[in-house]
Amino acid sequence: YLRLGMIRETQGSPEAAALYQEYVRRDPEDLLGLQRWTAACEGKRGPACAEAEGGRRTLAERTDDRRIAAELLGLPVEAVALGENLLPNGRFEDWQGSSPTGWVWSDMSNRPPWSPACFLGFPETLDPWEGRRAARVDGLWVERAAGREGARAGYGLQKSIPLTPGFYVLSFFYRARLAEGGWIGVWVSGRPEVLFAGDRALPDTGGAWRKVVIVAWNGEAGGAVRPLLRLWGAGEAAFDAVALRPLRLDRPLPPEGLPKVAVR
């Protein structure tokens, strides 16, 4: 239904909205279906668009960084403000060769201490979350070698981003179909005082687009981060609309009064 809707939309057919609506009914967890359906109903009427306004509210509730950050911190939305995105080319629209501009391909496999594997990275142009491209990683096969670390690959920011002390919101969309034992990891720092250390593990989505929002505290002046989005193990994954924004509150709150890291 999603693919048929995309075809009908390119043909200018009004049938696209009904196909997207049926896809949402069958897979309500896939944000891409909600996005396509509500966009196809913009300024239009008809049976397929009668409930689109409710779909728009649901989409906003599940994707609005400010709203989600406020919920994670237990604050009203009006108490929270987000700064500009600090990451370059976070929508992965611009590419240089096999990597998005401002990002580098990271393949940790086939040499000690990592296990043998075969990963491919390339722009996803069929169904990105937004725009023309997402960043995709395919793990074609992965061997679990005794005594070696798990193989992983993905895209990392080319240059580190310096941070001042305070709260930050890291958010992105991702989708994944993973083989047994596979998972998605997001890494920003090797030091727990700089947002968080090591990989935060994310689950399989069955191929549906999901939104991840992480609120974290940077407690060190001069701390720097270099976000890295990776596929661990065999399967496929895609990432889009990556953002790191300062989080500003309308009241002074000590960091010990709020969670160090909160994820949704």
Side-chain angles (χ1 to χ4, degrees):
Y1 285 96
L2 180 66
R3 298 286 183 256
L4 284 172
M6 293 167 64
I7 293 170
R8 293 292 184 262
E9 189 171 15
T10 61
Q11 296 170 339
S13 169
E15 187 186 1
L19 291 165
Y20 288 143
Q21 182 189 38
E22 180 62 20
Y23 178 71
V24 170
R25 188 184 73 79
R26 291 170 179 263
D27 191 353
E29 296 304 312
D30 189 351
L31 295 177
L32 184 62
L34 266 176
Q35 181 209 64
R36 296 268 186 176
W37 172 45
T38 55
C41 286
E42 194 69 41
K44 298 178 181 177
R45 297 182 179 180
C49 297
E51 300 175 356
E53 186 56 39
R56 291 188 189 95
R57 289 194 297 269
T58 299
L59 185 63
E61 290 170 0
R62 294 168 63 183
T63 61
D64 185 272
D65 285 9
R66 184 183 177 210
R67 183 197 303 264
I68 295 171
E71 291 175 357
L72 288 170
L73 296 175
L75 297 172
V77 175
E78 56 270 18
V80 173
L82 297 180
E84 294 295 321
N85 186 8
L86 302 177
L87 304 182
N89 194 29
R91 296 172 66 239
F92 302 126
E93 291 296 284
D94 300 320
W95 284 69
Q96 292 181 334
S98 60
S99 297
T101 304
W103 298 72
V104 294
W105 172 246
S106 172
D107 187 345
M108 295 183 176
S109 64
N110 297 313
R111 61 190 186 279
W114 304 300
S115 295
C118 179
F119 290 103
L120 293 177
F122 53 96
E124 171 62 86
T125 58
L126 178 60
D127 56 357
W129 167 255
E130 63 180 12
R132 297 173 295 124
R133 298 180 181 92
R136 179 163 166 173
V137 184
D138 281 11
L140 302 184
W141 63 266
V142 175
E143 179 181 327
R144 299 178 182 176
R148 291 198 181 189
E149 293 183 18
R152 62 267 199 190
Y155 297 97
L157 199 64
Q158 193 168 33
K159 296 180 179 180
S160 297
I161 301 293
L163 304 180
T164 57
F167 279 106
Y168 289 82
V169 176
L170 174 66
S171 65
F172 56 92
F173 291 86
Y174 86 103
R175 63 172 173 78
R177 286 190 180 92
L178 306 175
E180 183 178 357
W183 53 285
I184 302 299
V186 52
W187 187 98
V188 295
S189 167
R191 305 167 62 188
E193 64 271 20
V194 183
L195 301 189
F196 56 88
D199 283 89
R200 304 291 297 192
L202 302 173
D204 195 345
T205 71
W209 280 100
R210 302 282 176 82
K211 180 71 178 282
V212 177
V213 176
I214 302 174
V215 176
W217 173 261
N218 172 48
E220 181 177 323
V225 295
R226 193 175 176 183
L228 179 59
L229 305 169
R230 300 188 282 194
L231 167 63
W232 290 64
E236 65 176 68
F239 305 95
D240 206 351
V242 188
L244 177 66
R245 298 183 176 92
L247 173 64
R248 304 187 182 98
L249 307 178
D250 70 352
R251 67 200 73 177
L253 292 174
E256 59 270 20
L258 294 170
K260 172 69 172 66
V261 181
V263 183
R264 185 176 120 181

